[in-house]
Amino acid sequence: MSAPYTDPAVSPARAAQRPHGWLPEQASDNRLALAAMTDGFLALLIGIALSQKVFHATDGVATFLATFIPCVLAASFVNHVFGTLLLRGSVAKLLFGMRVLRWKDGRRPRFWQTLGRWLFGFVVIVFQFVLEGASVGQACGLRTVRRRDERVAVPQ
């Protein structure tokens, strides 16, 4: 059994007041959507830069797409999987004051959870209109929360 979630910014006395497994609420859908759009735009910019500077894809559209698409996917993978493992959130999530944690105990995400969440994100993006607004806010056992909500004391 894992220990209850503890945040270094919260004193041990305040953390002891929280019930076992206490977690903040999920970040709002608007905040998550803004972060997703920002991360997507960042991946596109990095993909263009990599495909032009590193691979010199100037021989036509087919060559450009053959280098651009893997570069965008690699940038997205590094941002969402390794960024979440190391920094507890992608670049946009950190910019907008959010972090990703396990929804069961509030601890750091595991590699397979972040990888599954990244892959699940593509499925949701493809079927976004069919699913009518579903998000990856709490997919694969992870939850995106606002950082400041982690520091709120539990009501007495």
Side-chain angles (χ1 to χ4, degrees):
M1 185 164 172
S2 59
Y5 170 72
T6 57
D7 185 0
V10 176
S11 69
R14 180 177 274 177
Q17 294 173 349
R18 293 180 177 167
H20 178 70
W22 177 86
L23 284 174
E25 291 296 317
Q26 179 176 327
S28 71
D29 287 338
N30 291 338
R31 188 178 285 252
L32 290 169
L34 183 60
M37 288 187 300
T38 303
D39 278 332
F41 185 65
L42 180 66
L44 288 174
L45 287 177
I46 292 172
I48 289 171
L50 282 175
S51 64
Q52 291 301 307
K53 298 297 180 188
V54 175
F55 297 107
H56 306 291
T58 58
D59 294 336
V61 173
T63 305
F64 172 74
L65 289 177
T67 58
F68 172 69
I69 292 172
C71 288
V72 168
L73 291 175
S76 176
F77 177 82
V78 168
N79 185 26
H80 285 95
V81 176
F82 290 121
T84 300
L85 284 174
L86 298 174
L87 305 172
R88 298 181 87 172
S90 64
V91 171
K93 283 181 184 65
L94 295 174
L95 284 173
F96 296 119
M98 295 183 283
R99 65 169 48 170
V100 177
L101 30 99
R102 286 189 265 170
W103 65 267
K104 285 189 177 182
D105 58 8
R107 302 178 106 189
R108 286 186 171 276
R110 295 182 180 130
F111 175 76
W112 294 110
Q113 288 175 312
T114 58
L115 179 64
R117 181 184 169 106
W118 178 68
L119 293 171
F120 182 74
F122 285 112
V123 172
V124 170
I125 288 170
V126 169
F127 295 109
Q128 186 76 37
F129 296 109
V130 175
L131 297 174
E132 297 179 1
S135 73
V136 284
Q138 192 164 312
C140 302
L142 301 176
R143 176 184 282 181
T144 304
V145 299
R146 294 187 311 173
R147 280 191 304 247
R148 69 178 173 171
D149 288 346
E150 288 185 291
R151 296 186 180 99
V152 175
V154 174
Q156 299 292 331

